[in-house]
mmCIF file of all heavy atoms in Angstrom:
data_model
loop_
_atom_site.group_PDB
_atom_site.id
_atom_site.type_symbol
_atom_site.label_atom_id
_atom_site.label_comp_id
_atom_site.label_asym_id
_atom_site.label_seq_id
_atom_site.Cartn_x
_atom_site.Cartn_y
_atom_site.Cartn_z
ATOM 1 N N GLU A 36 28.317 221.068 147.359
ATOM 2 C CA GLU A 36 27.462 219.998 146.859
ATOM 3 C C GLU A 36 28.243 219.148 145.879
ATOM 4 O O GLU A 36 29.056 219.667 145.108
ATOM 5 C CB GLU A 36 26.226 220.558 146.162
ATOM 6 C CG GLU A 36 25.205 221.149 147.122
ATOM 7 C CD GLU A 36 23.892 221.456 146.428
ATOM 8 O OE1 GLU A 36 23.284 220.529 145.840
ATOM 9 O OE2 GLU A 36 23.500 222.625 146.457
ATOM 10 N N THR A 37 27.978 217.859 145.901
ATOM 11 C CA THR A 37 28.648 216.918 145.017
ATOM 12 C C THR A 37 27.594 216.191 144.200
ATOM 13 O O THR A 37 26.568 215.762 144.740
ATOM 14 C CB THR A 37 29.481 215.914 145.838
ATOM 15 O OG1 THR A 37 30.398 216.643 146.666
ATOM 16 C CG2 THR A 37 30.258 214.974 144.939
ATOM 17 N N PHE A 38 27.849 216.060 142.893
ATOM 18 C CA PHE A 38 26.912 215.434 141.968
ATOM 19 C C PHE A 38 27.631 214.369 141.161
ATOM 20 O O PHE A 38 28.841 214.428 140.986
ATOM 21 C CB PHE A 38 26.368 216.477 140.969
ATOM 22 C CG PHE A 38 25.714 217.666 141.608
ATOM 23 C CD1 PHE A 38 26.470 218.762 142.022
ATOM 24 C CD2 PHE A 38 24.339 217.698 141.784
ATOM 25 C CE1 PHE A 38 25.873 219.865 142.594
ATOM 26 C CE2 PHE A 38 23.733 218.807 142.362
ATOM 27 C CZ PHE A 38 24.498 219.897 142.764
ATOM 28 N N ARG A 39 26.859 213.431 140.619
ATOM 29 C CA ARG A 39 27.424 212.479 139.669
ATOM 30 C C ARG A 39 26.503 212.419 138.454
ATOM 31 O O ARG A 39 25.330 212.770 138.528
ATOM 32 C CB ARG A 39 27.617 211.108 140.287
ATOM 33 C CG ARG A 39 26.361 210.399 140.671
ATOM 34 C CD ARG A 39 26.696 209.018 141.155
ATOM 35 N NE ARG A 39 25.645 208.531 142.033
ATOM 36 C CZ ARG A 39 25.798 207.551 142.870
ATOM 37 N NH1 ARG A 39 26.948 206.945 142.965
ATOM 38 N NH2 ARG A 39 24.808 207.154 143.621
ATOM 39 N N ALA A 40 27.062 211.961 137.332
ATOM 40 C CA ALA A 40 26.318 211.893 136.083
ATOM 41 C C ALA A 40 26.795 210.686 135.285
ATOM 42 O O ALA A 40 27.827 210.087 135.614
ATOM 43 C CB ALA A 40 26.542 213.177 135.285
ATOM 44 N N PRO A 41 26.047 210.349 134.231
ATOM 45 C CA PRO A 41 26.497 209.240 133.383
ATOM 46 C C PRO A 41 27.920 209.475 132.881
ATOM 47 O O PRO A 41 28.425 210.591 132.895
ATOM 48 C CB PRO A 41 25.487 209.275 132.225
ATOM 49 C CG PRO A 41 24.254 209.886 132.817
ATOM 50 C CD PRO A 41 24.770 210.908 133.796
ATOM 51 N N GLN A 42 28.513 208.409 132.398
ATOM 52 C CA GLN A 42 29.886 208.406 131.888
ATOM 53 C C GLN A 42 30.893 208.658 133.007
ATOM 54 O O GLN A 42 31.967 209.210 132.786
ATOM 55 C CB GLN A 42 30.067 209.405 130.747
ATOM 56 C CG GLN A 42 29.170 209.115 129.565
ATOM 57 C CD GLN A 42 29.316 210.128 128.463
ATOM 58 O OE1 GLN A 42 29.566 211.304 128.697
ATOM 59 N NE2 GLN A 42 29.160 209.655 127.232
ATOM 60 N N ASP A 43 30.537 208.244 134.234
ATOM 61 C CA ASP A 43 31.446 208.308 135.381
ATOM 62 C C ASP A 43 31.967 209.716 135.644
ATOM 63 O O ASP A 43 33.147 209.911 135.948
ATOM 64 C CB ASP A 43 32.611 207.327 135.202
ATOM 65 C CG ASP A 43 32.144 205.876 135.231
ATOM 66 O OD1 ASP A 43 31.333 205.548 136.121
ATOM 67 O OD2 ASP A 43 32.571 205.081 134.373
ATOM 68 N N ARG A 44 31.090 210.722 135.519
ATOM 69 C CA ARG A 44 31.469 212.113 135.776
ATOM 70 C C ARG A 44 31.075 212.523 137.187
ATOM 71 O O ARG A 44 30.058 212.093 137.717
ATOM 72 C CB ARG A 44 30.805 213.045 134.754
ATOM 73 C CG ARG A 44 31.404 212.878 133.378
ATOM 74 C CD ARG A 44 30.753 213.767 132.362
ATOM 75 N NE ARG A 44 29.393 213.285 132.150
ATOM 76 C CZ ARG A 44 28.347 214.070 131.925
ATOM 77 N NH1 ARG A 44 28.480 215.365 131.872
ATOM 78 N NH2 ARG A 44 27.156 213.544 131.740
ATOM 79 N N VAL A 45 31.899 213.375 137.791
ATOM 80 C CA VAL A 45 31.665 213.903 139.138
ATOM 81 C C VAL A 45 31.805 215.417 139.075
ATOM 82 O O VAL A 45 32.744 215.945 138.464
ATOM 83 C CB VAL A 45 32.672 213.312 140.156
ATOM 84 C CG1 VAL A 45 32.524 213.966 141.519
ATOM 85 C CG2 VAL A 45 32.487 211.799 140.263
ATOM 86 N N LEU A 46 30.867 216.105 139.715
ATOM 87 C CA LEU A 46 30.859 217.567 139.762
ATOM 88 C C LEU A 46 30.792 218.008 141.218
ATOM 89 O O LEU A 46 29.988 217.486 141.985
ATOM 90 C CB LEU A 46 29.641 218.106 139.006
ATOM 91 C CG LEU A 46 29.361 219.600 139.134
ATOM 92 C CD1 LEU A 46 30.415 220.405 138.388
ATOM 93 C CD2 LEU A 46 27.974 219.921 138.612
ATOM 94 N N VAL A 47 31.648 218.947 141.590
ATOM 95 C CA VAL A 47 31.621 219.536 142.929
ATOM 96 C C VAL A 47 31.465 221.048 142.761
ATOM 97 O O VAL A 47 32.223 221.664 142.010
ATOM 98 C CB VAL A 47 32.912 219.221 143.733
ATOM 99 C CG1 VAL A 47 32.858 219.874 145.115
ATOM 100 C CG2 VAL A 47 33.111 217.714 143.853
ATOM 101 N N VAL A 48 30.477 221.607 143.456
ATOM 102 C CA VAL A 48 30.256 223.051 143.450
ATOM 103 C C VAL A 48 30.442 223.549 144.873
ATOM 104 O O VAL A 48 29.852 222.990 145.814
ATOM 105 C CB VAL A 48 28.848 223.416 142.940
ATOM 106 C CG1 VAL A 48 28.675 224.928 142.887
ATOM 107 C CG2 VAL A 48 28.580 222.791 141.583
ATOM 108 N N THR A 49 31.258 224.588 145.027
ATOM 109 C CA THR A 49 31.453 225.209 146.340
ATOM 110 C C THR A 49 31.070 226.678 146.243
ATOM 111 O O THR A 49 31.263 227.315 145.208
ATOM 112 C CB THR A 49 32.914 225.085 146.823
ATOM 113 O OG1 THR A 49 33.792 225.654 145.849
ATOM 114 C CG2 THR A 49 33.291 223.630 147.080
ATOM 115 N N TRP A 50 30.503 227.208 147.324
ATOM 116 C CA TRP A 50 30.096 228.610 147.392
ATOM 117 C C TRP A 50 30.927 229.318 148.439
ATOM 118 O O TRP A 50 31.164 228.787 149.533
ATOM 119 C CB TRP A 50 28.628 228.724 147.781
ATOM 120 C CG TRP A 50 27.676 228.348 146.688
ATOM 121 C CD1 TRP A 50 27.041 229.204 145.843
ATOM 122 C CD2 TRP A 50 27.226 227.043 146.333
ATOM 123 N NE1 TRP A 50 26.229 228.502 144.981
ATOM 124 C CE2 TRP A 50 26.326 227.180 145.259
ATOM 125 C CE3 TRP A 50 27.507 225.767 146.813
ATOM 126 C CZ2 TRP A 50 25.695 226.093 144.663
ATOM 127 C CZ3 TRP A 50 26.886 224.691 146.227
ATOM 128 C CH2 TRP A 50 25.993 224.859 145.160
#
Side-chain angles (χ1 to χ4, degrees):
E36 287 191 57
T37 304
F38 304 85
R39 66 175 156 199
Q42 300 178 327
D43 294 315
R44 289 179 291 144
V45 174
L46 171 70
V47 179
V48 183
T49 56
W50 286 262

